[in-house]
Amino acid sequence: MLVAELQQVLMDHEVTCHRTCFSLQLGGAVLDSLSELGSAAAMQEGALLRVLEDPYTVRDARLHLRHVRDLLRSLDPTDAYTGVNGSSLSYLSLYTQGDMEIEGAGRRHASEKQSVDCSPPDYVLPGCKDRPLVPLHPMREDWKPLQCLRVLTVSSWNPPPGNRKMHGDLMYLNAVTMEERDLNITASTRGFYLNQSTAFTFNPKPASPKILCHNLVDLLGQVSPAFRKCFSTLQKKRVLQHPYERIATPFQVFTWTAPQRDHTLDCVRSEETHTIRMGQEEHTAGQSRDWNEELQASRELPRNSPQERLHRDRHLFKTNSDLVGAATRGAQAVVDGNVMAINPGEEPRAHVFIWNSLFFSLGFDVRHHYRPLGGDAAAHAAASCDLRGVQAYASIDQQGLHTIGTTVVDYRGYCVTAQTIVPGILEKEQEDIVVYGSNDYGKTVLTHPRFVELLEQTSQPMRIQHHQVLDHAHLPVDLCSAVETKGILGNDGRPYILDLLRAFPPDVNFYHAQEGAEKEAEPPGEFRNPGYPALPDRNSLGFPRRHRHGLANLRAELLDAFILHRYEIFLKMVSEGLRLLDASAEGQEDPERGPCTRRQAAEEDKAEELVTKNQGVVEEGLPRIQAVEEGGDPGTRIQAEEEGGDPDTRIQAEEEGGDPGTRIQAEEEGGDPGTRIQAVEERGDPGTRIQAEEERGDPGTRIQAEEERGDPGTRIQAEEEGGDPGTRIQAVEERGDPGTRIQAVEEAAEPAGVAQNKAPDQELQRRELMRRACQTVGSISDFGFDIRFNPDVCSPVVCFPADCVQDVQKHKRLLKDAAAFLLSNQIPAILRDCLDHTALPVDGGSLTAELHLRGVNVRYLGAVLELLEEAEERERLGHVQRIAVSEVIIRSAKHIFKSYLQEVELSSLSSAVSHFLNCLLSSAPCSDSASDELQSRRKSRRRRSHGNRIAMVTDTLWARLTPGDLWSKIRKEAEEYYHYTLKSKSFQEITERFGLQKISLLREMALKTGIQVQLREYVFDSRHRPVFGEEDVVNMFPVVKHLRPTSFDATHLLQQAQEAVQHGHLKAGTELIGQALSLFSSVCGVLHTEVCLCLRLLARLSYILGEYTEALSHQEKAVLITERVQGVDHHQTIQDYSHLALYCFAGGQRSISLRLLYRARYLTLLLSGEDHPQVALLDSMLGLVLHGLQEYDLSLRFLHNALSLSSKFHGAASLKHAQSYHILATVYESKAEFRSALQHEREAYSIYKNQVGADHQSTRESSEYLKRLTQQAVLLQRAINHIYSTSPANCPAPPRFTSPSIPMILQQLNLTCNIILIPLSTKDIEDLRAELKGEKRAQVQELERQIKLAGRGCIDH
């Protein structure tokens, strides 16, 4: 723990929160704030820390004023709505009421039904068509205004004159108390005191009585009783908040809707606005940070030990987060016109800016650099492509190679790129400082040995082929990147690479108009092997298609999947070929074919095997867990290296994707008949262990592949016995996580004694087999698997040497195969994932994430929709079609909106935005002019006609847009960009055709363009009044894309933990997740998505082990982080709410569980509507929880809706549908409606019997339940008959009516949420619980010790 972290704890504590300027002293020595607390020599058990008040400086006084302001506004959500100071919203405590403690399972159960109001709001009930917006931001009780001061601002007497500076005056403040007393306060080096100045008289002498306090809060508390009382109340409410609700987020989160709030006086806000416009950082008194030096110095920190890497990662993350904040503020200032351009003489589109040591440029092609690639469209796309390239190289983290900090900000229709400044780059012309690459897109190409050496080391993880191109003198030059990549040697001696827009290979499915579509043709030579499985013709699928720019690149995830696919083919070919060669050498014949046709038959068998190879990597029934690759993209990295050509050949295949901890190494030592080959996978915990051993002296090779229980991956094993005892090929595919891992080891060397007896031509045949296999899959080597791409092969301006023509054709073919693989494998895989509900998109953001996970770009939305419309089960994919169509419409509208907004003056911004939204979403006619609040109503006709000339020009630019014109532009944009035809004549028609929700479209439009609308109810169906007015557009916020550095060690541990958990090693997995959580928290802070992932996994493990208290604690933190970091209406927030509801129900918090599910259902309805499988899941959970609360009628209402939705999305014969029938039967049984219960259970039994057979456990349980229901129905009918009969016979025994069984309901909840508990013995569970409790006790003791030390220091002070 750093000393600064302990100081921050004291500044956040209720007792010491108002102190900011102090230091900690131990043993008479002041501790350095950046040193480790435990590194102090005098730090021992029972040591006493003293808090010493330090003298103020101007910076300290400003920091103290800001801190006091934050304390006074700590309960005010204005900053969260405005999107400043790292504030964001969270509403979890409103639904949990701050009480997440476990109630006993039977505690208050009898009276809970009477004490809990289970009725939901009307807009949450099934069938309701209303989608209100106001409940998205419910009003919290602790947000009510609690005013301590009327005014606190900086005095106009600032700065202090010279003679007062000599007395220690730093700055002057004005305050007005609640008692209406005006105070003039002096901030001095010793503290704060009242002076005798007034509004018009300057008298800095201390006022009587002379009160000097070291902090401002104590001074105000002494002079104002109302302040003292209100501040005490404020602090009590503040400490009731969860700490995660008060901590600032590292990256600012913006909300798309906000209420209209009163604008209040705020001295800190006004001062920060002034310093931002001046290009200064807050609290630094005019100092400007050198962002590039901070970033590069952080990267150059040592990283040999875990502690050094932790220190380095922490510095990198903090510097990057500060850089993103500064870049965002600077981009807003640039667009708002508050920064002077460094080239004011040029046209506005060509302006570039320097602000706060950052370089800002606009996304326009002003110097015609991008003219061959598409002009402005290419310049706009280049910003995002460059950012992805910078992220890829920064993730590889090659020592000695430097990239610049980059942030892309979309604001008010402009794309602004903010970059750190390379030392010396502004002192020379760019043509003079580029030493590597091309500055004119291939016309002049340079190379540099230093850059070639560094980039050569990154070529394998980036999958870029080392290649040669011709320079302007037609001489070959070496490159390890695209020609657009520029290498610059800065004045600081560091090598920098810039313009990484071609870091990934081009997508040949799309071509730019000036490039033209290259005709499909088979390349000459032997690359096209007859045994290669033919990919579909792209022309038959409508590709290649025209695109508006030439920067369409393939995603890294696609390259990973394509290489894995080719690797499988490679292993199959070599394995089968070697088997056939050995069989031929032994004279074996195919019993069904003669010896003359044996070779031909072998080739046919191999071709058939390759053609029937499953080309998709489908993970069915497995959790989708995020995988991060060290190589810069979240895919799988495969490396095959071959060194030498002698018997000591060493072939190594490494895969570092999904689990960087996996290492497989195969070594063969030639000449030794006792060759031992071992492949071990090390996962930090006993994992899958694969071992192949060849025993000495045994001519028969033994091959063994073992896969331990718990790994659902595929095992492929090829064995060869006799003939060649030294050759063994093993392929293992493990699919425990999305980064599918295939490990292949080939040893072709042979023991010396056996090799001497072999025919000399057999070795040549084997080499020829390997060569043909490598050529078939497109490997750059003839003796090992190694696929790389040449990013320049499709460039129209790049020339290659004559001896490289064949290689160029080979790489073109490889790119075309990768593009065809995307169409034939990846897009269908997305639809399969949606069909089996492995992927469950709820809105445009989640659909985009699923596309990217498969390596599919958003520009393929049209192709996805075309395939979806032709699918046999398109009815089950209706929700995907609806979301995809909405995404096409909104993204097309966003493209139009950006150019539309660039022509709008700032004074008309709210009118223009509201007019555009009305044209898009309103059903009423839109007016063609906007009101001007400065225009006088009383004007003569002559003056009015003359004064409206400027207004008429404005009207022609934006105000004359009509709904019809906008819809025509959207249809044209969708056709040109996404190649999808919107077959509707109007926006209203398409919303009715696909069932689109206008409130959902408004949300998507606002999130993608940065519009913030007022929080109120909008009537979209009104035919007489436009939906939006000027006041409904509250603000415009930036949409920011930035780098995301993280901790590699923590990522490593997390992936090892996921592996261990998937193999059933819960104990080791929990330990590893705890370590990863600690590292992520240390590097990124607690408010980070990776921390949230760790907490989510810990909560799930705790729930499985029955530790409901721990599960609730972890999941509560996860929900808070998700709301704060990703948004209160993010699709992940819905998932986290539903999981927390499950854990609450299991822990006895029935009412809280119900409120959380109501919130999750409302958010789902707002995002996607009721016709969605997520609603079916939530309705099933709601029905079960209400059943447990004995609200049978309300439960049946939700369960019937879930039954209908499950039939649509899962199928009428699915097991999910059978479960819905069974749940309904149990509720009807509780209501004593046995006839309805029997009817529904018979349906469930029929589905179980048809799907899993009569002997399955589910079928038997359903049969027994039917018998019990029948008996109960008979008993009830006999009792009823006896009541109405007149015979004096004995009364039959009535049926037994029992309350719902909570364990049975919990079991059904688990099945509904796809949770299958792992059976463990009681001893294993108790041992794991004891170990976890011991670790937690140690952590608590350490924390208590640190707090105790801090408390002693406070008491001593």
Side-chain angles (χ1 to χ4, degrees):
M1 184 178 188
L2 295 177
V3 175
E5 294 176 346
L6 180 57
Q7 290 175 332
Q8 188 63 40
V9 171
L10 296 177
M11 291 172 59
D12 194 57
H13 195 269
E14 179 183 6
V15 178
T16 57
C17 62
H18 52 281
R19 302 181 183 275
T20 60
C21 188
F22 62 90
S23 60
L24 298 178
Q25 188 182 67
L26 176 63
V30 177
L31 299 178
D32 182 10
S33 60
L34 297 180
S35 64
E36 288 286 342
L37 189 63
S39 63
M43 180 58 66
Q44 298 176 358
E45 189 69 27
L48 182 63
L49 281 174
R50 298 181 181 274
V51 177
L52 299 180
E53 295 177 345
D54 292 340
Y56 284 94
T57 62
V58 175
R59 178 179 181 274
D60 293 332
R62 292 174 59 195
L63 282 172
H64 183 78
L65 179 62
R66 177 193 174 93
H67 185 69
V68 172
R69 177 260 190 193
D70 291 341
L71 290 177
L72 296 179
R73 297 170 61 89
S74 58
L75 300 181
D76 190 353
T78 301
D79 286 352
Y81 287 124
T82 310
V84 295
N85 301 326
S87 299
S88 57
L89 299 168
S90 176
Y91 296 106
L92 177 63
S93 60
L94 182 65
Y95 299 96
T96 60
Q97 297 177 352
D99 182 17
M100 297 299 295
E101 296 180 357
I102 300 297
E103 299 176 4
R107 184 181 177 185
R108 299 189 301 111
H109 182 68
S111 60
E112 191 168 11
K113 181 176 182 300
Q114 291 77 14
S115 61
V116 176
D117 183 13
C118 300
S119 59
D122 293 338
Y123 54 81
V124 177
L125 289 173
C128 181
K129 301 299 182 182
D130 295 335
R131 300 291 181 263
L133 185 59
V134 173
L136 179 61
H137 295 284
M139 182 57 64
R140 293 177 44 162
E141 294 295 331
D142 55 356
W143 282 359
K144 290 184 178 179
L146 189 61
Q147 193 172 9
C148 300
L149 284 175
R150 295 196 181 278
V151 177
L152 176 62
T153 184
V154 179
S155 174
S156 300
W157 295 115
N158 284 300
N163 63 322
R164 292 308 304 173
K165 289 183 180 179
M166 304 295 290
H167 288 79
D169 291 2
L170 302 176
M171 62 187 301
Y172 304 116
L173 307 173
N174 289 336
V176 179
T177 66
M178 299 302 296
E179 296 90 351
E180 300 295 340
R181 180 183 177 185
D182 293 334
L183 302 177
N184 287 272
I185 303 172
T186 298
S188 69
T189 57
R190 294 187 296 170
F192 297 84
Y193 61 88
L194 300 180
N195 60 47
Q196 299 180 26
S197 299
T198 63
F200 302 100
T201 303
F202 178 67
N203 185 358
K205 299 294 183 180
S208 181
K210 296 180 180 180
I211 303 175
L212 175 63
C213 298
H214 190 263
N215 61 83
L216 186 58
V217 172
D218 288 345
L219 176 65
L220 293 174
Q222 292 192 35
V223 299
S224 173
F227 175 87
R228 183 168 59 251
K229 179 180 178 181
C230 291
F231 187 79
S232 176
T233 305
L234 178 70
Q235 286 300 95
K236 291 179 181 179
K237 289 186 176 182
R238 176 177 170 271
V239 297
L240 291 178
Q241 291 181 328
H242 195 281
Y244 288 4
E245 296 182 273
R246 305 196 302 263
I247 303 174
T249 57
F251 303 106
Q252 185 62 57
V253 179
F254 302 93
T255 176
W256 65 276
T257 179
Q260 283 283 12
R261 305 183 69 87
D262 296 334
H263 195 60
T264 58
L265 292 172
D266 192 336
C267 63
V268 176
R269 182 185 64 230
S270 61
E271 184 182 11
E272 287 181 354
T273 303
H274 173 71
T275 56
I276 287 174
R277 299 300 179 258
M278 295 300 294
Q280 303 166 2
E281 276 300 286
E282 296 90 339
H283 327 308
T284 55
Q287 299 176 15
S288 183
R289 298 172 64 176
D290 189 344
W291 294 108
N292 185 74
E293 181 60 30
E294 287 190 37
L295 190 62
Q296 309 308 332
S298 299
R299 288 174 178 166
E300 292 174 345
L301 290 173
R303 44 180 157 175
N304 299 321
S305 65
Q307 190 62 32
E308 289 178 347
R309 289 194 295 271
L310 174 62
H311 181 68
R312 178 178 180 269
D313 293 342
R314 182 186 297 163
H315 272 264
L316 274 173
F317 184 86
K318 184 65 171 64
T319 302
N320 181 73
S321 62
D322 292 346
L323 170 64
V324 171
T328 304
R329 294 189 297 270
Q332 291 179 273
V334 164
V335 176
D336 290 338
N338 297 321
V339 179
M340 176 67 70
I342 61 176
N343 55 342
E346 301 185 23
E347 60 173 317
R349 288 160 49 96
H351 284 173
V352 292
F353 310 85
I354 292 181
W355 179 90
N356 197 6
S357 299
L358 293 173
F359 180 81
F360 295 87
S361 58
L362 304 178
F364 299 111
D365 183 26
V366 292
R367 301 186 183 276
H368 307 297
H369 286 172
Y370 296 95
R371 177 179 291 178
L373 300 175
D376 286 345
H380 186 276
S384 297
C385 294
D386 181 51
L387 181 66
R388 286 194 292 268
V390 174
Q391 177 69 67
Y393 278 98
S395 300
I396 294 175
D397 204 9
Q398 174 61 43
Q399 190 168 2
L401 186 64
H402 297 266
T403 57
I404 59 177
T406 306
T407 302
V408 179
V409 181
D410 287 322
Y411 179 62
R412 284 180 49 194
Y414 293 92
C415 179
V416 184
T417 302
Q419 297 171 312
T420 58
I421 302 174
V422 177
I425 195 173
L426 300 177
E427 300 174 3
K428 306 175 184 178
E429 292 293 334
Q430 194 169 5
E431 292 80 3
D432 300 332
I433 62 175
V434 175
V435 299
Y436 174 89
S438 175
N439 194 39
D440 49 12
Y441 293 93
K443 298 178 182 178
T444 304
V445 185
L446 302 174
T447 188
H448 193 281
R450 186 175 179 183
F451 282 95
V452 172
E453 179 183 0
L454 290 172
L455 290 173
E456 178 69 28
Q457 300 178 38
T458 65
S459 61
Q460 168 55 38
M462 290 297 299
R463 303 176 186 85
I464 294 179
Q465 171 63 26
H466 186 146
H467 58 283
Q468 289 185 337
V469 300
L470 297 179
D471 63 0
H472 58 285
H474 298 283
L475 297 177
V477 295
D478 290 335
L479 293 179
C480 290
S481 63
V483 294
E484 292 88 352
T485 301
K486 300 175 182 61
I488 295 177
L489 291 175
N491 288 351
D492 54 1
R494 299 185 180 107
Y496 295 88
I497 51 174
L498 290 76
D499 292 346
L500 305 175
L501 57 155
R502 284 290 195 190
F504 299 103
D507 185 357
V508 296
N509 283 334
F510 292 88
Y511 67 94
H512 181 49
Q514 295 184 8
E515 299 174 357
E518 184 177 355
K519 184 179 179 181
E520 291 283 343
E522 290 293 330
E526 55 185 349
F527 175 67
R528 176 60 63 178
N529 189 284
Y532 179 70
L535 290 170
D537 184 12
R538 293 186 300 131
N539 293 326
S540 64
L541 300 176
F543 289 89
R545 294 176 175 177
R546 181 175 177 177
H547 201 55
R548 64 181 47 176
H549 62 77
L551 292 179
N553 300 329
L554 297 175
R555 293 189 64 85
E557 297 90 342
L558 177 73
L559 303 182
D560 299 332
F562 176 70
I563 291 175
L564 285 175
H565 170 71
R566 285 294 177 93
Y567 203 46
E568 293 177 354
I569 295 176
F570 174 78
L571 294 174
K572 281 282 189 179
M573 290 186 63
V574 177
S575 175
E576 182 66 16
L578 290 177
R579 186 182 66 81
L580 293 174
L581 282 177
D582 291 334
S584 175
E586 294 177 1
Q588 297 178 356
E589 298 182 3
D590 194 324
E592 298 181 1
R593 298 181 174 95
C596 298
T597 62
R598 185 173 59 238
R599 185 177 301 275
Q600 179 181 358
E603 294 294 335
E604 293 177 357
D605 290 342
K606 181 171 64 175
E608 180 180 359
E609 174 71 17
L610 293 174
V611 170
T612 57
K613 171 69 181 172
N614 181 16
Q615 300 183 12
V617 182
V618 184
E619 300 106 5
E620 298 181 355
L622 298 178
R624 304 174 68 86
I625 303 176
Q626 178 183 5
V628 179
E629 178 199 2
E630 180 191 7
D633 49 280
T636 306
R637 188 172 68 202
I638 303 176
Q639 178 179 2
E641 297 180 355
E642 178 180 357
E643 302 173 356
D646 51 5
D648 295 328
T649 302
R650 176 178 176 181
I651 299 177
Q652 178 179 1
E654 290 184 359
E655 174 181 352
E656 301 173 0
D659 184 3
T662 305
R663 184 177 69 244
I664 298 179
Q665 181 178 6
E667 296 182 355
E668 176 182 359
E669 302 174 358
D672 181 7
T675 303
R676 177 184 177 92
I677 300 174
Q678 181 177 5
V680 179
E681 177 178 358
E682 301 172 355
R683 295 176 179 167
D685 175 13
T688 305
R689 189 179 183 90
I690 303 174
Q691 182 176 5
E693 297 182 356
E694 177 182 357
E695 298 180 357
R696 184 188 306 267
D698 184 5
T701 302
R702 186 179 68 185
I703 300 178
Q704 178 182 6
E706 294 183 358
E707 179 179 354
E708 295 187 1
R709 184 178 182 181
D711 180 7
T714 305
R715 186 178 62 203
I716 303 174
Q717 180 178 2
E719 298 183 355
E720 175 186 2
E721 299 179 358
D724 182 8
T727 303
R728 183 170 69 247
I729 297 178
Q730 176 182 1
V732 178
E733 175 183 357
E734 300 175 357
R735 294 172 180 169
D737 55 359
T740 305
R741 295 183 311 280
I742 299 178
Q743 303 149 354
V745 180
E746 175 195 353
E747 292 96 16
E750 313 209 14
V754 180
Q756 294 176 357
N757 298 327
K758 297 193 60 171
D761 60 339
Q762 189 163 357
E763 180 64 25
L764 295 178
Q765 292 178 358
R766 295 180 183 278
R767 292 183 180 274
E768 177 64 17
L769 172 64
M770 177 67 68
R771 187 185 64 82
R772 284 190 283 108
C774 291
Q775 288 186 350
T776 298
V777 299
S779 174
I780 63 173
S781 172
D782 289 341
F783 303 101
F785 181 87
D786 190 3
I787 288 183
R788 304 187 192 185
F789 298 88
N790 187 338
D792 293 327
V793 291
C794 296
S795 177
V797 296
V798 176
C799 298
F800 296 92
D803 56 349
C804 298
V805 174
Q806 187 175 359
D807 290 338
V808 170
Q809 293 297 328
K810 177 180 177 180
H811 283 286
K812 284 186 177 180
R813 182 70 253 173
L814 189 64
L815 282 177
K816 292 177 182 178
D817 288 344
F821 175 79
L822 184 150
L823 298 174
S824 61
N825 285 57
Q826 300 306 96
I827 293 180
I830 294 172
L831 299 185
R832 289 197 299 270
D833 290 342
C834 294
L835 275 174
D836 59 22
H837 301 281
T838 306
L840 196 63
V842 179
D843 60 349
S846 54
L847 177 62
T848 302
E850 294 298 334
L851 291 175
H852 289 172
L853 187 64
R854 286 288 184 179
V856 180
N857 304 81
V858 178
R859 59 178 172 270
Y860 285 94
L861 272 175
V864 173
L865 282 168
E866 291 174 0
L867 183 62
L868 191 151
E869 292 170 355
E870 298 173 358
E872 296 180 358
E873 297 183 327
R874 57 182 175 272
E875 295 297 330
R876 292 178 53 195
L877 296 173
H879 62 293
V880 181
Q881 184 183 30
R882 183 172 64 251
I883 297 172
V885 171
S886 301
E887 196 72 358
V888 169
I889 294 174
I890 294 303
R891 286 183 177 269
S892 301
K894 181 189 71 172
H895 297 166
I896 301 168
F897 181 74
K898 286 184 175 180
S899 58
Y900 166 90
L901 210 58
Q902 292 173 7
E903 306 294 336
V904 178
E905 296 181 356
L906 185 59
S907 60
S908 305
L909 189 60
S910 60
S911 301
V913 174
S914 61
H915 180 74
F916 188 92
L917 292 177
N918 281 325
C919 292
L920 179 65
L921 299 172
S922 181
S923 301
C926 301
S927 59
D928 60 353
S929 62
S931 61
D932 188 354
E933 61 183 10
L934 297 178
Q935 183 177 357
S936 174
R937 296 179 179 271
R938 300 178 59 183
K939 286 187 177 181
S940 64
R941 182 173 303 176
R942 179 178 178 182
R943 290 182 60 191
R944 185 164 59 249
S945 62
H946 176 75
N948 281 348
R949 291 179 181 176
I950 299 178
M952 291 175 62
V953 175
T954 305
D955 289 345
T956 60
L957 296 177
W958 60 267
R960 291 186 179 180
L961 181 70
T962 64
D965 295 338
L966 179 58
W967 178 245
S968 299
K969 292 181 179 180
I970 290 175
R971 292 184 62 187
K972 182 179 179 182
E973 182 71 13
E975 180 69 33
E976 292 180 355
Y977 196 90
Y978 300 104
H979 301 275
Y980 182 72
T981 303
L982 297 172
K983 302 175 183 178
S984 300
K985 297 181 180 179
S986 65
F987 183 79
Q988 188 67 26
E989 180 181 340
I990 201 169
T991 56
E992 295 175 355
R993 176 185 173 188
F994 291 100
L996 308 182
Q997 290 188 150
K998 290 187 176 181
I999 188 65
S1000 302
L1001 296 174
L1002 172 62
R1003 173 183 176 271
E1004 294 287 351
M1005 186 68 184
L1007 290 175
K1008 288 178 172 59
T1009 58
I1011 301 174
Q1012 188 178 55
V1013 298
Q1014 184 180 354
L1015 183 66
R1016 71 172 183 87
E1017 304 302 343
Y1018 294 96
V1019 183
F1020 293 99
D1021 298 330
S1022 175
R1023 300 284 183 179
H1024 307 287
R1025 184 178 180 181
V1027 178
F1028 303 95
E1030 296 181 13
E1031 299 299 325
D1032 290 326
V1033 181
V1034 178
N1035 199 0
M1036 293 287 293
F1037 59 84
V1039 180
V1040 186
K1041 302 176 184 177
H1042 55 83
L1043 303 178
R1044 299 184 180 275
T1046 184
S1047 171
F1048 172 74
D1049 289 341
T1051 303
H1052 185 167
L1053 289 171
L1054 180 60
Q1055 293 164 356
Q1056 284 185 331
Q1058 293 171 345
E1059 289 287 334
V1061 170
Q1062 289 174 2
H1063 290 88
H1065 305 290
L1066 301 185
K1067 175 181 175 181
T1070 304
E1071 294 176 354
L1072 291 170
I1073 293 175
Q1075 296 175 19
L1077 175 62
S1078 177
L1079 282 179
F1080 277 129
S1081 301
S1082 299
V1083 172
C1084 309
V1086 293
L1087 296 184
H1088 195 268
T1089 53
E1090 299 292 346
V1091 175
C1092 186
L1093 176 61
C1094 293
L1095 290 170
R1096 207 175 289 130
L1097 292 175
L1098 285 175
R1100 179 61 62 93
L1101 289 176
S1102 300
Y1103 177 74
I1104 291 174
L1105 295 173
E1107 293 285 349
Y1108 299 142
T1109 305
E1110 297 296 325
L1112 284 175
S1113 176
H1114 293 313
Q1115 188 65 23
E1116 179 191 13
K1117 295 175 183 177
V1119 175
L1120 287 171
I1121 295 174
T1122 304
E1123 285 188 314
R1124 292 289 314 280
V1125 174
Q1126 296 183 291
V1128 295
D1129 57 347
H1130 194 267
H1131 59 87
Q1132 185 59 55
T1133 305
I1134 300 175
Q1135 298 290 336
D1136 288 343
Y1137 263 91
S1138 59
H1139 291 159
L1140 182 60
L1142 172 64
Y1143 304 157
C1144 284
F1145 184 87
Q1149 295 281 6
R1150 318 273 192 263
S1151 58
I1152 293 179
S1153 174
L1154 189 63
R1155 291 196 296 268
L1156 293 172
L1157 288 174
Y1158 284 154
R1159 175 68 174 179
R1161 193 179 200 276
Y1162 165 73
L1163 294 177
T1164 307
L1165 294 176
L1166 186 68
L1167 267 61
S1168 62
E1170 195 168 34
D1171 190 20
H1172 195 277
Q1174 179 70 23
V1175 178
L1177 171 66
L1178 293 173
D1179 283 357
S1180 297
M1181 295 181 68
L1182 278 167
L1184 288 167
V1185 173
L1186 288 168
H1187 185 202
L1189 293 172
Q1190 302 181 26
E1191 290 285 346
Y1192 303 130
D1193 293 334
L1194 196 55
S1195 174
L1196 289 173
R1197 190 168 181 180
F1198 284 102
L1199 289 176
H1200 276 293
N1201 191 61
L1203 179 69
S1204 174
L1205 293 176
S1206 65
S1207 174
K1208 177 178 181 180
F1209 294 111
H1210 293 276
S1214 64
L1215 297 180
K1216 280 287 184 182
H1217 198 50
Q1219 185 190 9
S1220 297
Y1221 274 121
H1222 174 70
I1223 296 173
L1224 276 168
T1226 59
V1227 179
Y1228 277 118
E1229 180 195 12
S1230 299
K1231 289 190 66 179
E1233 297 182 10
F1234 296 106
R1235 180 172 297 180
S1236 298
L1238 282 168
Q1239 177 183 355
H1240 287 85
E1241 189 59 32
R1242 288 193 187 101
E1243 297 288 344
Y1245 175 78
S1246 176
I1247 296 174
Y1248 284 133
K1249 184 177 180 180
N1250 294 332
Q1251 293 294 324
V1252 296
D1255 296 332
H1256 194 270
Q1257 180 181 357
S1258 299
T1259 310
R1260 293 198 304 267
E1261 291 177 354
S1262 179
S1263 176
E1264 294 174 359
Y1265 186 54
L1266 276 174
K1267 293 178 181 179
R1268 184 157 58 87
L1269 287 177
T1270 304
Q1271 294 174 358
Q1272 293 288 87
V1274 170
L1275 291 177
L1276 179 62
Q1277 188 62 42
R1278 287 178 179 176
I1280 294 175
N1281 293 339
H1282 177 75
I1283 293 174
Y1284 289 98
S1285 65
T1286 57
S1287 61
N1290 295 330
C1291 179
R1296 292 174 296 176
F1297 299 97
T1298 59
S1299 60
S1301 172
I1302 299 301
M1304 294 300 297
I1305 292 177
L1306 184 58
Q1307 180 183 1
Q1308 292 299 322
L1309 278 172
N1310 290 332
L1311 293 176
T1312 301
C1313 299
N1314 297 321
I1315 296 177
I1316 301 177
L1317 299 180
I1318 301 175
L1320 296 176
S1321 65
T1322 305
K1323 183 178 182 302
D1324 292 338
I1325 295 178
E1326 294 299 329
D1327 292 344
L1328 183 56
R1329 285 179 179 175
E1331 183 168 350
L1332 293 178
K1333 289 180 179 179
E1335 294 177 357
K1336 183 180 178 182
R1337 188 181 303 110
Q1339 295 175 0
V1340 171
Q1341 290 176 354
E1342 175 64 19
L1343 183 59
E1344 289 178 349
R1345 187 180 67 84
Q1346 295 175 0
I1347 295 176
K1348 186 176 181 181
L1349 291 176
R1352 287 181 179 177
C1354 296
I1355 294 173
D1356 180 68
H1357 172 77

